[in-house]
Structures are given as C-alpha cells and as structure tokens.
C-alpha cells in the first residue's frame, strides 16, 4: 500500500482549472520527484495534499485513510509536513522559535528536544544562529530553517517545494545532500523541483507535470534518458 | 556656501516652529492657560521659551551635522549650528511678531474665536504692540542661539559609560523605598481609626512627609524619588565605579518597579479620598479593557476598532439582569458569568464573518460593528430605554458588605484587573499564545505548521470580548445607570491608544498606558478640553521617540530595534563560504 496516493485529482482556483486529473503515488521510504515548468501545477499539487486547497474531484489517501476533506491541521497532525515554496519562515521570530513552531502539535517534550538536536546536527549553521531573528538569515540559511522546521513535526512524509530556488550552486548541492540524508534516516520525501537534473539524480522515481496533467512517469533513470524530458527540461 | 546652507536650515525650522506656535495660539491654548503658572513662570511664557529653545536645538542639530558620517561631523564647528539656531529662532520670532501685529490691528474674531484682545496682551508679554514685537525678535534670536548651544554642549559632554544602567538602578531603589514608606503610612493612618496608638506612629515625620493623600503629591514624590535616586546612582558611579556597576547588575529593575507600583496600587488608595479613588477606578476599568483588547490586537494581531461593543454588551447584560425595570433582579456575582459568556459569544459572532479578513478590512468591519451595537442600544427604545438608558442598577455585595463607595469599587477593580492580568499572562506563555504569535506573523505558514487558525482567532475574539464584558459590568454597577452615549467610538479609540502608548502585547505596558492616558488628563485637569489634542500629540511623540511603547514586551522591543538596525544586522549575517563565517556569533548579538 502506498504511503500517499492521489486519484484523479482536479483542483480549481475559482474558474481556473489548475489540476486536471492528477494521479500519483509515493511508497514508504522513497524519494519521488515532481518536475514541470512554471505554472504546471506543482505547488498546487502539494497544497492540495496538505489540505490548504480542496480538490473538486478526486481523492487523496494517506496511509490507508482518505484525507482530502480534512482541514490542514489534521493532516499535519497525521504526519504530513509541508515545507512551502519561497522559504516562508517567521521572519520576526528567532531561529529557535521557528523550529519550535514546527513542533507545535507535539506534546512529547523529550522527543521534540531530540528532534531539535537532530535538525541542528543536519544544519550546523542554524545552531550558531539560534537566537537570531529568522528574517536576518541569508537565503540559503532560511531554506535550511524551513526544511528543519518541517522536520520538527517528525513527519512520515515531507513535501518539499523547490528547495533549490534562488540558491547558489554550492548551496544547492549541500541542500540536496541533506535531503538524501533525511531520507536515509527514514523520512519519505515528495520533492517538487524545476531543477530536473538534480531532482532526478536524488529521486528513485519521478512524475512530469504539464499544465495540470501528468505527462510522464517512471524510474528517475528512465526519465533522465527519455527524449521528451531531455528536450523540455534538461536542455537537449 | 556652507553659511548659506545653515541660514536655509534655520529658515526652514523657524518657519515650522513659528507656524506650530501660531497654531497653538489659534486653538486657544494660550488663553486657556494664561493664568496657570509653573515654577513662577506662566504657561504661555513657558511655551514661548521652550519652543524657541527647541527650534534652535533642532536647527542647530541639523546644521551641526547630525546623522552625517563621523568625518563630516568632526569637520563642522560651532558656527554653522549657532547660525542655524539664531536664524531659526529669529524666523519663528518674525512670524509670531507679524501674527501678533495682524491680530492687534485687525479684528479676526469672526474667523477665529480664540483671538481676543487678551491674546495680544499675552503674546506681547504685557508690553503692548510695538514694544512686545521687539521682544519676539530679540527673544527668538537669543533662544534659538541658546538651543543651538545646548545641542553643541550636549554633543561635547560625554557622561561616564554605563551611566544609564546605574541611574536606572538608583531610581528603581528610591522608588521602591518611597512605595514602601508611603504604603506603611497609608496603612497606619487607615488603621488609626480603630487603634489609637497606631495614629501616633503615623505622625512620625518620615511617614507624614510621604503620606499619600493626593495624587498630585504622589506623582510629585514619585518623580522626585526616582530622579534623586538616579542622580545618587550617577554620583556613586563617579565615586566608586565598581560598586556602582555591581549595584546596576544586582538590582532586578523590571521586577522591582512592577512590585513598587503594585504596592502603591494596593495601599495608597486607602487614604486618597473619594475623588481620586473614582479616578483610579476609571483607570482600572480601562486597564481591564486594555488587557482584553491587547489579547486581540497585541497577541493575535487582529485590529479591532469596535471593541467598545463588548464593553457595552457586558454593561447592558448586567443592567437587563439586575435593574428592577426588567424584574429579574439577578445579583452581580450570578450575572458575572452570564455577562462574560454573552460578551464572548458576541466576540465569536463578530469573529466568524471576519475570519478571512485582514488588516484594513478587519478594522473597518469591526468599527462598523461597534457603531451598530451603539445604534441598536439607542434605537430599540422598548428594550433598552433608548437614549434615556437604564437606571437603578445595583452595586455588588460581598457577604454583608455592599460595595458602594469609590474606595470599595477601587479594590474590587484592583482584584479583577490583577486576575485578568494573570490570566492573560498565562495565556501568552501557553501553547495558545504561541499559536497566536504564529498567526500574527504569517497566517498561511501558521496553517502549514498544523495550527487551527480559525479556532485560535475565535478564541482571541472571545477572550478579549469577555474581559471587556467584565469591565462593562463593573462600569454599570459603579455608574448605577447607563446610556448608549457612554459607549461611543471614543472608548474604542482610547482603549487602542493606551495599548499603543503602553506597548503592544505587553501586560505592564497596558497598565502604564491606561495610567498615562486616563490618569494624566485628570491630573492636568485644566487640559480637559484639549484631551484629544493631547492624545494625538502623545501618540505622535511616542511613535517618534519610543515606537515600542512605554513598557514594551521583550519581543516587540526586539522587533522594533531589528527594523532600526536592519542594515547593521543583515551585513553581519551575510552568508560567506569562508570558514570564518562559522565562528559562533555572540549570543544575543541582536538586541
Ligand atoms: N491563488 C491563485 N489564484 C489563481 N490562480 C492560481 C493561484 N495560484 C496558482 N494559480 C494558477 O495555477 C496554475 C498552477 O500554479 P502552481 O503555483 O501550482 O504552479 P507551479 O508548477 O508551482 O509553478 P512554479 O514552478 O512557477 O512554482 C498556474 O497557472 C497559476 O497561474
Ligand atoms: Mg510552485
């Protein structure tokens, strides 16, 4: 049974038909990537999964339970953490407060403390800046903070929306290394990316989204070698 | 070239200050305070002197290179500052002289009701037209130069490092001493009606000299004690720096100040008399309202301009339940939970439709809500008595004691306000408080954290409303009769102003704000007519010199300073590939 499954999902913004029947699934322990050009509907897909948008048609299933009618806080509580696009951190709260907010729904103090340690080990930069307001971090550090905060809820699956956006190549490499490490420690990951080359390199499987529809799907290797993907997303 | 610049700076400041002065005359300030005097000088003369000095100070500061680079400042000498100051003062003087000449020559009463023959008399310092005008010019130039000199002197004199902390410690200790002695004195005098011996103790000169029998006296002694303590602290710093630094470190300034004021609030009213207790009760009602509104605006970040509605609902609920007019005659304590629940319910009812609104829209809708409630109270004559209000509301009773006199009401309010402050403090430190912070910072991200923003918003509205409901009930019980006119927009504005002045999101700040906004006008009773002007001026001045409020919460102070020091902070936190960037930052490097 897949951890996460979308069945023929249609999502609208008013009249705008953003997702036109998306079906996909993510298995336990996988890194699955969702690639596509600007406006393809990647962010919309993640927002639909985490309950911030409701699909008009179709179903979303998580660990054998249907979740598309649940409010976002229930979905987060079930173990889906959404790390939103554009490093949306709490700019005026300190790094530590940001991380603690990530564990808002948890009552186990000791577990939270453990996870804080774990996050700070993954991102040593954040440890040095614990008392600093999040807004004063550099772009890369803010991205680390956003990912770290999502991990603080100890999720079963982590939804990452374009973690490489606006970062220098060195930093992108570093973030992707950390993503692989998080996955190795046992968290399933659904990774949305425009940087198809890198995303397909870390992922086991991938989906290609085009104007609200899944165009291609399959093992990352196969996608990387496919003619269409090379032409459209890998520059020839 | 440079001289021209100084002259121009002077002209600009002179025009601004001259116009401000004329405006002050036109609104009638000078006439109203012609008789009042401070330290032997009449208030209008004080204003003239202060404005002249201030004008010179500001012009001198600008011309003297304030806000410029270290280098530019060092090169500039005394001359440009002095030139600008003198020109500024003279310009303001010329404007005032011209204005005085015009009102002396022509009859402007038709247009400006505050221009009377006496005005000319006041403005010319009693010297009449041609002679008095010379005063304006000479005095303006002299005061302007004086102001510029003050600025230059202030720049040259460097007080010893760390003097603020030491002065603060000294002031706080002196304040604590005064609060203790005053409380003992009040307690002894209050007891002396029962036990005669105590009366003689209360006659000890030390205690008599600090006996709180008048709020003016209390204010004067508070300021004197704090000032003297501060000076002693600075002197100590000069005599023995180590001892002074140790003192500054040891004194828990914030907690001791809070404790002193709590002591004063607990014991001083015993001997303050009816009038001042009435004033203190009003302050207490506003403290409660402010604490409630602070939950909505300060904690949850929802701008509510119709907060008076819940105050009105609390008051009218009690009136319905209690006044013999409706035949229910429910007593105060039974009515209390009902009024709180009604107000909380109204808060939720307002909250539901505005859940999706933010900022300006929310402010406008809540503003409308406040007015609608007032209009309903005014127009549903059969139910509420309309403009005639509801009469014969009974005060509460504690066991056999009927709470009746201002002092008794004051103590009831004190207990209520302390409870409300305690509850809000606990809320702020809880999970709920953290959810509010997250929501205030960014609602979308808060939702992604798994925070049920709908519930937490409604909770904030309900909690804030129920506190206003209690305040309204106590208000109704004190007034014995209530009218729709008691619940106008001004109440909402006052509640919001006191939060802003005190420090958004800070509980001691709300209390300080209520004391300043509701207490000061009472102390400066002559100012009553100009209360709104005072509010406006106070708000503007606060925003300019202390945007975080009188007693801000730590978080808020940090946010404000972060904005101000933004350039500095972001430079120091730039990412860098070099290992040097990985050296740990000093903890608390950002204030
Ligand atoms: N709030 C909104 N209201 C209306 N239309 C929207 C809204 N958000 C997104 N859309 C539209 O939905 C479509 C999908 O947008 P989405 O943000 O999911 O794209 P994306 O694949 O994440 O793109 P990008 O790579 O640029 O982030 C786009 O056509 C976009 O214009
Ligand atoms: Mg997107």
């Amino acid at each position: 049974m897949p951890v996460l499954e979308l069945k023929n999902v249609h999502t609208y913004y008013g009249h705008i038909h953003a997702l036109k029947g998306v079906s996909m699934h993510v298995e336990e322990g996988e890194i699955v990537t969702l690639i596509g050009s600007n406006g393809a509907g990647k962010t919309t897909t993640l927002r639909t999964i985490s309950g911030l948008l409701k699909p008009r048609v179709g179903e979303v299933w998580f660990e054998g339970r249907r979740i598309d009618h649940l409010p976002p806080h229930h979905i987060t509580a079930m173990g889906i953490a959404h790390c939103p696009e554009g490093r949306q951190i709490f700019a005026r709260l300190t790094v530590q407060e940001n991380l603690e907010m990530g564990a808002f729904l948890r009552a186990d103090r000791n577990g939270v403390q453990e996870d804080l340690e774990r996050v700070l080990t993954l991102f040593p930069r954040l440890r040095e800046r614990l008392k600093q307001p999040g807004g004063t971090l550099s772009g890369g550090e803010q991205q680390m903070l956003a990912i770290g905060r999502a991990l603080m809820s100890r999720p079963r699956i982590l939804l990452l929306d374009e973690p490489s956006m606006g970062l220098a190549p060195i930093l992108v490499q570093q973030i992707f290394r950390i993503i692989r490490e998080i996955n190795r420690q046992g968290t399933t990951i659904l990774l949305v990316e425009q940087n198809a080359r890198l995303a397909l390199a870390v992922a086991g499987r991938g989906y290609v989204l085009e104007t609200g529809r899944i165009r291609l799907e399959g093992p990352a290797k196969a996608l990387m070698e496919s003619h269409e993907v090379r032409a459209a997303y890998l520059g020839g | 070239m440079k001289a021209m610049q100084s002259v121009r700076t002077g002209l600009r400041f002179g025009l601004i200050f001259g116009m401000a002065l004329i405006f002050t005359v036109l609104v009638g300030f000078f006439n109203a305070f012609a008789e009042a005097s401070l330290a032997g000088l009449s208030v209008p003369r004080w204003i003239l002197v202060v404005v002249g000095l201030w004008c010179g100070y500001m012009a001198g500061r600008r011309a003297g290179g304030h806000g410029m680079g270290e280098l530019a400042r060092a090169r500039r000498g005394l001359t440009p500052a002095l030139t600008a100051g003198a020109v500024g003062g003279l310009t303001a003087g010329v404007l005032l002289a011209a204005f005085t000449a015009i009102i002396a020559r022509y009859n402007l009463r038709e247009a400006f009701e505050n221009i009377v023959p006496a005005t000319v008399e006041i403005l010319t310092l009693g010297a009449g037209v041609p002679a008095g005008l010379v005063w304006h010019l000479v005095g303006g130039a002299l005061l302007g130069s004086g102001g510029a000199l003050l600025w230059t002197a202030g720049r040259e004199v460097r007080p010893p490092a760390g003097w603020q902390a030491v002065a603060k410690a000294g002031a706080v200790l002196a304040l604590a001493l005064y609060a203790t002695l005053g409380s003992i004195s009040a307690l002894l005098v209050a007891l002396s009606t029962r036990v005669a011996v105590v009366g003689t103790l209360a006659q000890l000169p030390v205690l008599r000299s600090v006996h709180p029998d008048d709020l003016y006296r209390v204010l004067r002694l508070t300021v004197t004690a704090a000032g003297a303590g501060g000076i002693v602290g600075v002197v100590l710093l000069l005599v023995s720096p180590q001892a002074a630094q140790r003192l500054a470190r040891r004194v828990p300034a914030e907690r001791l100040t809070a404790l002193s004021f709590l002591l004063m609030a607990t014991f001083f009213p015993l001997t303050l008399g009816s009038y001042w207790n009435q004033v203190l009760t009003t302050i207490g009602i506003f403290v409660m309202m402010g604490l409630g509104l602070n939950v909505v605006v300060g904690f949850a970040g929802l701008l509510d301009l119709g907060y008076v509605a819940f105050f009105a609902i609390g008051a009218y609920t009690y009136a319905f339940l209690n006044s013999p007019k409706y035949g229910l005659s429910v007593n105060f304590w039974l009515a209390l939970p009902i009024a709180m629940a009604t107000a909380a319910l109204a808060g939720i009812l307002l909250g539901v439709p505005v859940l999706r609104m933010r900022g300006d829209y929310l402010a406008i809708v809540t503003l409308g809500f406040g007015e609608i409630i007032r209009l309903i109270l005014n127009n549903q004559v059969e139910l509420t008595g309309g403009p005639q209000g509801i009469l014969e509301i009974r005060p509460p009773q504690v066991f056999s004691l009927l709470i009746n006199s201002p002092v008794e009401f004051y103590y009831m309010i004190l207990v209520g306000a302390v409870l409300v402050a305690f509850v809000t403090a606990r809320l702020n430190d809880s999970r709920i408080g953290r959810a509010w912070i997250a929501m205030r910072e960014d609602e979308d991200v808060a939702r992604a954290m798994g925070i049920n923003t709908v519930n937490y918003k409604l909770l904030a509205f309900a909690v804030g409303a129920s506190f206003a409901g209690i305040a309204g009930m106590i208000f109704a019980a004190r007034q014995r009769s209530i009218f729709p006119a008691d619940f106008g927009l001004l109440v909402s504005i006052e509640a919001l102003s006191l939060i802003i002045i005190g420090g958004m999101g800070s509980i001691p700040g709300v209390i300080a704000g209520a004391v300043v906004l509701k207490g000061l006008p009472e102390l400066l009773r002559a100012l009553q007519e100009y209360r709104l002007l005072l509010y406006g001026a106070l708000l503007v001045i606060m925003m300019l010199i202390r945007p975080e409020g009188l007693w801000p919460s730590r978080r808020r102070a940090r946010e404000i300073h972060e904005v101000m020091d933004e350039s500095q902070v972001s430079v120091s936190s730039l990412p860098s590939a070099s290992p040097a960037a990985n050296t740990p930052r000093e903890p608390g490097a950002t204030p």
Side-chain angles (χ1 to χ4, degrees):
Chain A
M1 183 185 65
V3 178
L4 179 74
E5 186 168 17
L6 278 73
K7 295 179 182 167
N8 187 32
V9 166
H10 290 256
T11 303
Y12 289 75
Y13 294 102
H15 295 297
I16 298 172
H17 195 171
L19 297 187
K20 301 165 183 162
V22 170
S23 296
M24 58 188 296
H25 64 99
V26 181
E27 304 291 332
E28 175 93 47
E30 272 193 309
I31 299 185
V32 172
T33 184
L34 182 64
I35 56 180
S37 51
N38 289 116
K42 305 182 295 292
T43 299
T44 309
T45 308
L46 294 193
R47 288 173 66 85
T48 307
I49 295 169
S50 63
L52 294 168
L53 296 170
K54 300 281 166 231
R56 203 172 284 180
V57 180
E59 299 169 3
V60 182
W61 290 75
F62 177 66
E63 295 189 326
R65 287 181 61 191
R66 191 166 165 192
I67 61 167
D68 50 79
H69 57 280
L70 297 178
H73 55 275
H74 281 185
I75 295 178
T76 311
M78 290 171 70
I80 298 184
H82 183 173
C83 179
E85 192 174 27
R87 316 178 195 125
Q88 291 189 19
I89 53 150
F90 296 110
R92 300 195 298 184
L93 302 191
T94 63
V95 169
Q96 179 159 8
E97 287 167 333
N98 264 281
L99 291 172
E100 284 164 359
M101 282 295 179
F104 182 80
L105 290 170
R106 296 176 57 181
D108 56 323
R109 294 239 170 128
N110 296 336
V112 171
Q113 204 51 45
E114 262 171 41
D115 282 354
L116 186 64
E117 260 320 299
R118 174 174 158 230
V119 167
L120 294 178
T121 311
L122 279 173
F123 302 105
R125 270 294 178 89
L126 297 183
R127 193 191 294 275
E128 295 158 20
R129 289 157 169 60
L130 273 179
K131 296 278 176 269
Q132 196 172 321
T136 63
L137 298 182
S138 76
E141 290 161 353
Q142 290 190 16
Q143 186 63 61
M144 294 176 192
L145 178 55
I147 297 174
R149 193 184 55 188
L151 285 176
M152 287 300 291
S153 65
R154 197 176 273 186
R156 306 269 298 117
I157 182 168
L158 178 62
L159 314 179
L160 288 173
D161 199 344
E162 299 206 30
S164 75
M165 198 208 282
L167 299 187
I170 288 192
L171 224 50
V172 175
Q173 295 283 353
Q174 195 183 339
I175 294 256
F176 272 79
R177 256 202 312 280
I178 294 169
I179 290 174
R180 204 177 282 150
E181 173 62 21
I182 292 169
N183 177 249
R184 211 185 48 75
Q185 292 179 6
T187 311
T188 308
I189 291 175
L190 174 56
L191 170 68
V192 157
E193 259 303 329
Q194 282 205 49
N195 189 334
R197 192 185 305 276
L198 266 173
L200 290 172
V202 299
R205 290 189 304 117
Y207 291 85
V208 177
L209 198 62
E210 220 175 87
T211 57
R213 288 195 177 85
I214 301 282
R215 266 291 305 275
L216 289 169
E217 61 176 286
K221 274 219 176 63
L223 286 179
M224 195 118 61
E225 278 151 18
S226 97
H227 187 67
E228 282 162 285
V229 173
R230 295 183 77 94
Y233 304 105
L234 301 176
Chain B
M1 181 62 199
K2 223 178 242 170
M4 255 330 276
Q5 221 168 19
S6 298
V7 170
R8 218 171 318 136
T9 306
L11 271 174
R12 201 168 70 224
F13 279 92
L15 281 175
I16 295 171
F17 279 81
M19 294 303 279
L21 209 50
I22 291 172
F23 173 77
T24 319
V25 176
L26 286 178
V27 296
F29 218 81
F30 276 60
N31 300 344
F33 295 101
E35 303 301 325
S37 74
L38 269 172
L41 198 61
S42 78
V43 170
R45 293 185 187 189
W46 266 113
I47 295 178
L48 289 175
V49 170
V50 169
V51 170
L53 284 174
W54 192 8
C55 174
Y57 184 93
M58 299 298 284
R61 186 168 85 140
R62 173 61 56 88
H66 177 79
M68 297 186 179
E70 208 54 54
L71 211 71
R73 210 172 326 161
R75 279 215 217 101
R76 299 207 165 187
L78 178 60
T79 329
L82 210 53
T83 315
V87 171
L90 184 64
T91 312
V94 168
L95 266 184
L96 189 66
F99 173 74
T100 314
I102 290 171
I103 61 172
R105 174 78 181 72
Y106 303 100
N107 184 1
L108 298 183
R109 277 204 82 167
E110 303 280 309
F112 303 102
E113 57 175 51
N114 288 316
I115 305 293
V116 293
T119 316
V120 178
E121 193 71 6
I122 298 166
L123 282 178
T124 56
L125 316 180
V129 162
L133 302 188
V134 179
W135 269 114
H136 289 167
L137 305 186
V138 177
L142 284 179
L143 286 170
S145 318
L149 278 177
L150 271 182
W151 178 75
T152 327
R155 194 177 55 164
E156 298 307 326
V157 177
R158 293 227 176 279
W163 70 277
Q164 282 120 324
V166 180
K168 191 164 148 195
V172 169
L173 283 178
L175 181 69
L177 182 66
Y178 167 58
T180 314
L181 287 179
S183 298
I184 293 174
S185 166
L187 205 57
L188 290 181
V189 169
L191 281 176
S192 66
T193 51
R194 310 256 159 80
V195 192
V197 198
V198 178
T200 44
L201 259 181
Q203 292 306 312
L204 284 174
V206 188
L207 294 183
R208 255 179 47 196
S209 63
V210 295
H211 182 60
D213 51 4
D214 178 331
L215 226 43
Y216 287 110
R217 210 163 116 93
V218 171
L219 184 71
R220 208 163 53 228
L221 285 170
T222 308
V223 173
T224 314
I231 292 171
V232 169
V234 174
V235 170
L236 183 64
L237 183 67
L238 295 176
V239 177
S240 161
Q242 274 104 351
Q245 304 290 2
R246 203 162 342 120
L247 182 77
R249 262 198 314 276
R250 290 268 175 83
V251 175
E254 202 152 292
R255 224 171 313 155
L256 203 54
T257 314
L259 205 65
S260 306
F261 283 126
L262 191 64
L263 213 56
M264 290 164 75
T266 312
F267 294 108
F268 282 20
L270 284 172
T271 52
L272 274 176
S274 295
Y275 175 77
W276 290 118
N277 271 298
Q278 185 86 4
V279 171
L280 290 176
T281 308
T282 308
I283 293 177
I285 289 176
F286 272 84
V287 167
M288 275 189 157
M289 274 215 284
L291 287 171
L293 185 59
N294 185 47
V295 168
V296 184
V297 183
F299 293 170
L302 304 162
L303 184 51
D304 183 350
L305 291 185
Y307 192 61
V308 65
F310 309 117
F311 183 59
I313 287 169
Y316 270 86
T317 306
Y318 181 48
F320 289 144
L321 290 171
N322 183 276
S323 167
K325 182 179 169 192
Y326 300 95
L328 289 170
S329 298
V330 178
N331 81 42
F332 185 89
W333 304 108
L334 211 60
L336 187 66
I338 303 177
M340 277 176 73
T342 314
L345 194 69
I348 292 173
L349 284 182
L350 168 68
V352 169
V354 301
L355 275 175
R356 294 185 170 280
M357 291 179 190
R358 292 177 196 193
D360 327 357
Y361 296 100
L362 181 62
I364 291 171
V365 172
T366 51
L367 182 78
F369 179 74
E371 279 300 282
I372 289 172
I373 295 290
R374 190 181 61 80
L375 287 175
I376 291 176
L377 296 176
N378 204 45
N379 297 339
Q380 295 294 314
V381 178
E382 261 135 70
L383 188 63
T384 68
Q388 267 72 51
I390 301 177
L391 314 176
E392 291 185 83
I393 303 166
R394 267 173 326 186
Q397 195 167 351
V398 180
F399 301 111
S400 62
L401 173 73
L402 195 67
I403 296 197
N404 217 347
S405 73
V407 189
E408 288 155 2
F409 259 109
Y410 170 77
Y411 280 104
M412 193 174 107
I413 282 272
L414 181 68
V415 172
V418 168
L419 282 180
V420 167
F422 178 74
V423 172
T424 48
R426 292 311 304 265
L427 277 176
N428 194 31
D429 288 337
S430 70
R431 243 170 89 80
I432 298 173
R434 277 193 294 140
W436 282 334
I437 293 173
M439 219 166 70
R440 187 183 68 201
E441 293 296 320
D442 191 321
E443 212 180 312
D444 289 329
V445 185
R447 288 212 293 164
M449 297 298 98
I451 295 170
N452 182 347
T453 54
V454 170
N455 285 0
Y456 284 109
K457 265 192 194 185
L458 293 181
L459 185 67
F461 274 119
V463 169
S466 67
F467 291 163
I470 309 177
M473 254 192 91
I474 297 180
F475 176 77
R478 185 188 76 167
Q479 300 297 103
R480 304 288 184 83
S481 47
I482 50 173
F483 309 94
D486 295 331
F487 307 98
L489 175 61
L490 192 61
V491 179
S492 297
I493 293 179
E494 284 179 331
L496 194 62
S497 310
L498 72 89
I499 295 181
I500 294 171
I501 288 176
M504 191 91 76
S506 147
I507 291 163
V510 169
I511 298 167
V515 170
V516 167
L517 263 195
K518 297 306 291 185
L520 269 194
E522 274 321 311
L523 282 171
L524 314 171
R525 223 168 321 159
L527 267 175
Q528 278 292 15
E529 270 185 73
Y530 296 93
R531 210 173 37 162
L532 278 177
L533 193 69
L534 182 76
Y535 276 14
L538 214 55
L539 279 174
V540 171
I541 292 171
M542 284 297 298
M543 290 303 107
L544 287 177
I545 63 173
R546 203 173 159 84
E548 69 268 40
L550 289 172
W551 191 325
S553 64
R554 294 233 173 77
R555 173 183 308 285
R556 179 113 183 121
R558 192 179 69 208
E559 282 163 13
I560 298 255
H561 286 284
E562 175 202 320
V563 172
M564 294 194 159
D565 309 341
E566 197 145 71
S567 49
Q568 190 198 330
V569 172
S570 56
V571 166
S572 64
S573 64
L574 273 180
S576 147
S578 75
N582 287 334
T583 54
R585 283 170 64 86
E586 211 176 306
T590 44

